[in-house]
Amino acid sequence: MIPAPFQYFAPRTVNEAIGLLQQHGDDAKLLAGGHSLLPALKLRLAQPAVLIDISRVSELKGITSNGDRLVIGAGATYHEIATSEAVRSGCLALAECVGQIGDIQVRNRGTIGGSLAHADPAADLPAVVLALGATINVMGPNGARSIAADDMFVAMMTTAISPDEVMTSVTFPILGRGEGAAYAKLRQPASRYAIVGVAAYVKLDGGTVAACRIGVTGAGAVAVRQPAAEAALVGTSGDDAAVAAAANAAGDGIDYLGDIHASAEYRQAMVKVYTRRALTEALRRARA
């Protein structure tokens, strides 16, 4: 199908993009990599009167290591993130996550900012930013502000970003000694979207789990943390029994989706399976 008619703008700066958002309001949509928006345009599921292409904004590019933090431009592609030595050495789980998204064409065009702003319930990245405690940085007419990952995802395809704001970067902590993170997912074979995806982060202190964060995507309408499972692991040695107990506690607070790919009951079961896998690998890395 052919998209509905729209005006097209290609700003060169973040401020110019913000000005266009203010000018056109709800009639405008931002276009980054396009792999989420373009299919919706072709099916006329989205019919914006104005399309603002931010793919040429240089301020949104780049990946930098800033002390104990990785700062990834919102316009960085999945391929750039997956192959970045700074990301692979400082936050391997993130590199592995984006390396599993779609196919090579998607990874060369899709962007981290586009994925997080779109907040597709089956997207991989929301689980990872939740588990790693990332920060989403945005710019709007009132200046810059930061959104904690825990506050980012409000509902299906709805985030805490205001309509007149542009995501500029995402900040991730660089993992140090005694810390480990991993992402495990049950993928839909054709699209490679997550039927269930679980990201886990652990921190060890003297052989005891001092901190744990778990993010789940794909199972419900919005990516969520798993506080009961996290609490079940903290304070333990992270042995097999503790991991099993944490995995068994996973899945609370999710309004499970059911569709042609998996029933709600199956997704609920798989959350426990993939929580166990993600925690096991995160612990292995923390002990390495």
Side-chain angles (χ1 to χ4, degrees), residues 100-171:
Q100 299 179 56
I101 295 175
D103 52 28
I104 193 168
Q105 292 92 338
V106 170
R107 291 192 293 274
N108 274 282
R109 291 293 301 171
T111 65
I112 185 172
S115 174
L116 294 176
H118 187 56
D120 191 298
D124 298 282
L125 277 164
V128 176
V129 300
L130 285 170
L132 292 175
T135 302
I136 293 86
N137 306 302
V138 301
M139 182 78 73
N142 297 319
R145 70 183 181 104
S146 296
I147 304 169
D150 285 351
D151 300 324
M152 176 65 173
F153 307 106
V154 177
M156 181 180 287
M157 296 184 175
T158 305
T159 72
I161 302 174
S162 298
D164 56 359
E165 291 180 321
V166 176
M167 189 189 309
T168 54
S169 64
V170 186
T171 305

Side-chain angles (χ1 to χ4, degrees), residues 6 13 21 23 32 34 39 49 62 67 86 100 102 118 149 179-180 191 198 218 223 246 250 280:
F6 55 82
T13 68
L21 287 173
Q23 179 182 348
Q100 299 179 56
H118 187 56
E179 295 179 289
S191 67
V198 180
T280 298

